[in-house]
């Protein structure tokens, strides 16, 4: 089954074509530079940019997936090559999500293709299962149950997966998400948006021991919760004290913050791997692009004698429609198509362990 998927949940307009778990194309129109001057995503700007670019991105995804096919009109390749249309319903920015949902409904109706509604977090969770074009191995080698860590700008979730489609969130953040904390710290240091990749680069040259920051939730280790607001406040105070900032200070501050924030993830992940007897560990979401955190989690997986799976490219970690196509494939296999598109609506606060509101 070949699926055309759309994700407009935040600041990337993305469309992909997938077949099974294979990514045939995964096109992104990134708005990050547009939002950079505001230090974060501006929803109304995002909505306008999604509207302006979505048709172009759909066309590009189709042409990339089927380079030898020449269709007469821009969406013509859908009729003969695509079996279903999928879209991110939520979670995400409401008005941004709406652009993708409307486009998916239009394509599904115009070309008479089944419609698959996908949860954005499920896309991140299953992204490590995707394989590049030309490779044929599938998810079949992954043993269940699985523990998944999804760390992005909105989520720091540990999820127990008994089988694909069956999720139990065992820990989530009570305040800021890990990516959000990295973004806010980068802003404090006068660095750009998104902050995670900038901090990662600077941290490589910094000394993690130059400053002491409080590891979150120390003394409350039995609680399955992530929290970053206390660390963020401590960081803010430290940055103010260190002003004026030099390049060396910024590198050390980046290294110290990253190290402390990651220790919190390491501790709770280790606990979850001990408490829940899982056979595999998946890591997805924008923060999964971070090489240092990958290294630390790989060590923990090794200690627990289980394999760690991460997406095969960094593009599949941050928001993209390829991962939505992978999640849609499994929903399609289970026959989870939407029958009445009038009921389908964006759901900014959709939860991975709950059906969408109309379902
Ligand atoms: O998954 P994503 O693209 O969007 C959400 O669904 O939120 O994640 C974006 C987050 C941002 O907070 C960004 O700073 C972070 O992922 N991120 C990184 C890296 N690349 C992106 N964090 C740490 N290291 C990176 N290399
Ligand atoms: Zn995301």
């Amino acid at each position: 089954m070949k699926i055309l998927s759309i994700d407009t949940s935040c600041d990337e307009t993305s469309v992909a074509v997938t077949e099974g778990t294979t990514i045939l194309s995964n096109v992104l129109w990134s708005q990050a530079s547009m939002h950079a001057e505001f230090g974060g995503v501006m929803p109304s700007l995002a909505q306008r940019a999604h509207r302006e670019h979505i048709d172009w991105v759909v066309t590009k995804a189709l042409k990339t997936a089927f380079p030898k096919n020449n269709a007469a009109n821009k969406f013509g390749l859908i009729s003969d090559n695509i079996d279903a249309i999928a879209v991110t319903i939520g979670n995400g920015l409401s008005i941004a999500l709406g652009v993708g949902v409307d486009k998916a409904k239009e394509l599904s109706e115009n070309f008479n293709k089944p419609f698959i509604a996908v949860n954005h977090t499920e896309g991140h969770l299953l992204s490590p299962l995707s394989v590049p074009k030309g490779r044929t191995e599938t998810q079949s080698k992954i043993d269940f149950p699985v523990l998944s860590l999804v760390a992005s700008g909105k989520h720091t979730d540990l999820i127990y997966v008994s089988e694909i489609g069956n999720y139990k969130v065992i820990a989530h953040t009570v305040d800021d998400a890990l990516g959000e904390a990295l973004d806010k710290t980068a802003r404090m240091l006068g660095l750009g948006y998104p902050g995670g990749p900038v901090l990662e680069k600077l941290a490589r040259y910094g000394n993690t021991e130059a400053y002491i920051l409080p590891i979150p939730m120390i003394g409350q280790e039995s609680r399955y919760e992530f929290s970053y607001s206390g660390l963020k406040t401590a960081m803010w105070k430290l940055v103010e004290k260190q002003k004026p900032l030099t390049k060396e200070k910024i590198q050390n501050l980046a290294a110290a913050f990253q190290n402390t924030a990651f220790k919190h993830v390491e501790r709770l992940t280790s606990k979850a791997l001990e408490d829940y007897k899982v056979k595999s560990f998946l890591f997805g979401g924008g923060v999964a692009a971070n090489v240092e955190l990958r290294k630390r989690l790989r060590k923990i997986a090794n200690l627990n004698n289980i394999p760690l799976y991460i997406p095969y490219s960094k593009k599949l970690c941050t928001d993209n429609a390829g991962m939505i196509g992978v999640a849609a494939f499994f929903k399609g296999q289970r026959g989870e198509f939407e029958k009445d598109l009038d009921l389908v609506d964006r759901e900014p606060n959709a939860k991975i362990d709950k059906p969408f509101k109309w379902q």
Side-chain angles (χ1 to χ4, degrees), residues 110-214:
N110 289 355
F111 294 95
N112 198 20
K113 304 287 178 187
F115 185 105
I116 307 174
V118 178
N119 177 295
H120 183 77
T121 307
E122 186 179 15
H124 280 306
L125 189 155
L126 296 175
S127 61
L129 274 56
S130 48
V131 288
K133 201 173 178 171
R135 291 221 328 245
T136 51
E137 71 263 52
T138 62
Q139 80 296 340
S140 57
K141 63 181 175 166
I142 293 187
D143 291 324
F144 288 81
V146 155
L147 180 75
S148 158
L149 171 65
V150 175
S152 69
K154 293 173 226 85
H155 290 268
T156 321
D157 291 343
L158 281 168
I159 302 160
Y160 179 83
V161 187
S162 51
E163 59 184 346
I164 293 177
N166 201 336
Y167 308 111
K168 185 177 162 221
V169 178
I170 58 174
H172 59 83
T173 178
V174 292
D175 39 58
D176 290 351
L178 175 54
E180 188 181 0
L182 294 169
D183 291 339
K184 286 178 178 168
T185 296
R187 209 182 314 166
M188 284 176 211
L189 295 172
L191 310 165
Y193 168 85
V198 197
L199 284 185
E200 181 182 23
K201 261 190 216 139
L202 288 164
R204 269 185 224 138
Y205 304 101
N207 172 8
T208 51
E209 310 297 324
Y211 302 105
I212 310 272
L213 284 161

Side-chain angles (χ1 to χ4, degrees), residues 9-12 91 120 124 150-155 177-183 193-200 258 262 284-291 293 314 317-320 323:
S9 60
C10 193
D11 59 347
E12 318 276 358
N91 38 63
H120 183 77
H124 280 306
V150 175
S152 69
K154 293 173 226 85
H155 290 268
L178 175 54
E180 188 181 0
L182 294 169
D183 291 339
Y193 168 85
V198 197
L199 284 185
E200 181 182 23
Q258 231 195 218
F262 290 174
V287 187
N290 190 287
V291 175
L293 188 54
K314 287 193 179 178
C317 296
T318 43
D319 286 348
N320 70 93
M323 66 184 194

Side-chain angles (χ1 to χ4, degrees), residues 22-329:
T22 302
I23 311 286
L24 301 180
S25 66
N26 194 9
V27 178
L28 275 186
W29 178 276
S30 178
Q31 311 169 3
S33 58
M34 203 176 84
H35 298 284
E37 62 178 296
F38 303 99
V41 179
M42 296 292 286
S44 56
L45 272 185
Q47 181 194 37
R48 204 172 67 205
H50 285 313
R51 279 196 186 131
E52 279 169 9
H53 300 296
I54 185 106
D55 282 355
W56 179 86
V57 184
V58 170
T59 309
K60 180 101 197 285
L62 287 163
K63 285 188 173 166
T64 309
F66 311 111
K68 291 191 193 110
N69 262 310
N70 272 321
N73 73 54
K74 62 181 179 181
F75 294 158
L77 289 167
I78 295 177
S79 302
D80 294 340
N81 299 286
I82 296 295
D83 303 301
I85 306 289
V87 67
T88 300
I89 294 297
N91 38 63
L93 295 172
S94 184
I95 57 174
L97 287 164
V99 179
V101 173
D102 287 349
K103 183 55 65 180
K105 284 187 184 181
E106 176 196 315
L107 297 178
S108 166
E109 279 167 352
N110 289 355
F111 294 95
N112 198 20
K113 304 287 178 187
F115 185 105
I116 307 174
V118 178
N119 177 295
H120 183 77
T121 307
E122 186 179 15
H124 280 306
L125 189 155
L126 296 175
S127 61
L129 274 56
S130 48
V131 288
K133 201 173 178 171
R135 291 221 328 245
T136 51
E137 71 263 52
T138 62
Q139 80 296 340
S140 57
K141 63 181 175 166
I142 293 187
D143 291 324
F144 288 81
V146 155
L147 180 75
S148 158
L149 171 65
V150 175
S152 69
K154 293 173 226 85
H155 290 268
T156 321
D157 291 343
L158 281 168
I159 302 160
Y160 179 83
V161 187
S162 51
E163 59 184 346
I164 293 177
N166 201 336
Y167 308 111
K168 185 177 162 221
V169 178
I170 58 174
H172 59 83
T173 178
V174 292
D175 39 58
D176 290 351
L178 175 54
E180 188 181 0
L182 294 169
D183 291 339
K184 286 178 178 168
T185 296
R187 209 182 314 166
M188 284 176 211
L189 295 172
L191 310 165
Y193 168 85
V198 197
L199 284 185
E200 181 182 23
K201 261 190 216 139
L202 288 164
R204 269 185 224 138
Y205 304 101
N207 172 8
T208 51
E209 310 297 324
Y211 302 105
I212 310 272
L213 284 161
I215 301 173
M217 312 279 296
I218 286 294
Q220 302 178 70
E221 281 85 356
S222 62
R223 288 169 66 175
Y224 266 112
E225 273 172 7
F226 288 104
S227 168
Y228 283 103
S229 70
L231 172 60
K232 185 185 65 186
T233 307
M235 182 65 180
W236 183 79
K237 286 184 184 153
L238 177 62
V239 172
E240 288 303 304
K241 230 164 96 188
Q242 293 304 317
K243 281 182 176 171
L245 299 174
T246 60
K247 191 174 169 193
E248 192 190 346
K249 279 188 188 176
I250 292 177
Q251 288 169 343
N252 287 341
L253 285 163
F257 185 83
Q258 231 195 218
N259 177 46
T260 313
F262 290 174
K263 278 196 170 154
H264 184 28
V265 178
E266 288 171 78
R267 187 190 58 74
L268 209 53
T269 304
S270 298
K271 176 175 165 57
L273 288 176
E274 273 165 33
D275 291 351
Y276 292 81
K277 302 285 170 238
V278 294
K279 297 200 173 122
S280 317
F281 179 30
L282 306 187
F283 181 29
V287 187
N290 190 287
V291 175
E292 174 64 23
L293 188 54
R294 286 178 175 193
K295 211 163 73 190
R296 296 185 187 199
L297 293 177
R298 197 173 296 286
K299 209 164 147 188
I300 292 172
N302 287 344
L303 279 171
N304 284 275
N305 265 323
I306 57 167
L308 167 69
Y309 296 95
I310 49 172
Y312 70 81
S313 95
K314 287 193 179 178
K315 187 174 169 186
L316 281 152
C317 296
T318 43
D319 286 348
N320 70 93
M323 66 184 194
I324 301 305
V326 172
F329 160 65

